[in-house]
Amino acid sequence: VDLADLARSAVSLLAAQAASAGVQLGSDVVATVMRGDRSRLEQIIENLISNALKFTPQGGTITVRAFPDGADAVLEVRDTGRGIPPEELPHVFERFWRGAPAADTGGRGIGLAVVNELVQAHHGQVSVVSEPGRGSAFTARFPARHAPG
């Protein structure tokens, strides 16, 4: 599957939701072919965008990137949201965990845990870099030649 096509589709699917929240949602993608389960990869992208929408205020931006990096396929969802405190970063992929910034948002704390499990099922790794008040960047890196396990 082409990760870039999936990213463009997810951005298109969630564009109205972003617009109604006053958030600019866009993509910066190049053809990134990898072996994987199309529906699960779509779920990863949609979960990451939906999560970014929860924490990005009106006037903010979310950018979805997909690109090859050597033998890897890389997906990145970057936002200009409220960010995650450093002490909470090690917990964001834990099931049912919700940090202080999530106290006033909906959800059950499973979206990022599901993302982590689906990325691992594709032999990949997901990570996050965040700065409070400046936003977050979630990056999923997949070995492009592996089939999902």
Side-chain angles (χ1 to χ4, degrees), residues 59-118:
T61 62
I62 299 169
T63 304
V64 181
R65 297 178 62 218
F67 56 93
D69 183 24
D72 292 343
V74 179
L75 168 73
E76 179 187 77
V77 177
R78 180 178 296 272
D79 66 60
T80 59
R82 53 175 92 161
I84 304 165
E87 65 276 8
E88 295 184 0
L89 285 173
H91 305 287
V92 297
F93 297 110
E94 294 175 11
R95 191 172 292 272
F96 303 117
W97 186 85
R98 291 173 43 89
D104 62 347
T105 64
R108 295 182 298 263
I110 61 171
L112 291 176
V114 168
V115 165
N116 186 42
E117 289 177 21
L118 293 175

Side-chain angles (χ1 to χ4, degrees), residues 3 20 41 68:
L3 200 54
S20 69
L41 290 167

Side-chain angles (χ1 to χ4, degrees), residues 6-32:
L6 298 180
R8 278 191 291 268
S9 293
V11 166
S12 179
L13 178 71
L14 295 168
Q17 183 180 346
S20 69
V23 174
Q24 181 181 2
L25 174 60
S27 63
D28 177 14
V29 298
V30 295
T32 307

Side-chain angles (χ1 to χ4, degrees), residues 7 12 31 33-34 50 55 57 60 64-65 68-69 71 83 92 109 112 122 125 129 141:
S12 179
V33 177
M34 63 173 281
S50 294
F55 299 104
V64 181
R65 297 178 62 218
D69 183 24
V92 297
L112 291 176
H122 284 81
Q125 295 181 329
V129 175
R141 182 174 287 273

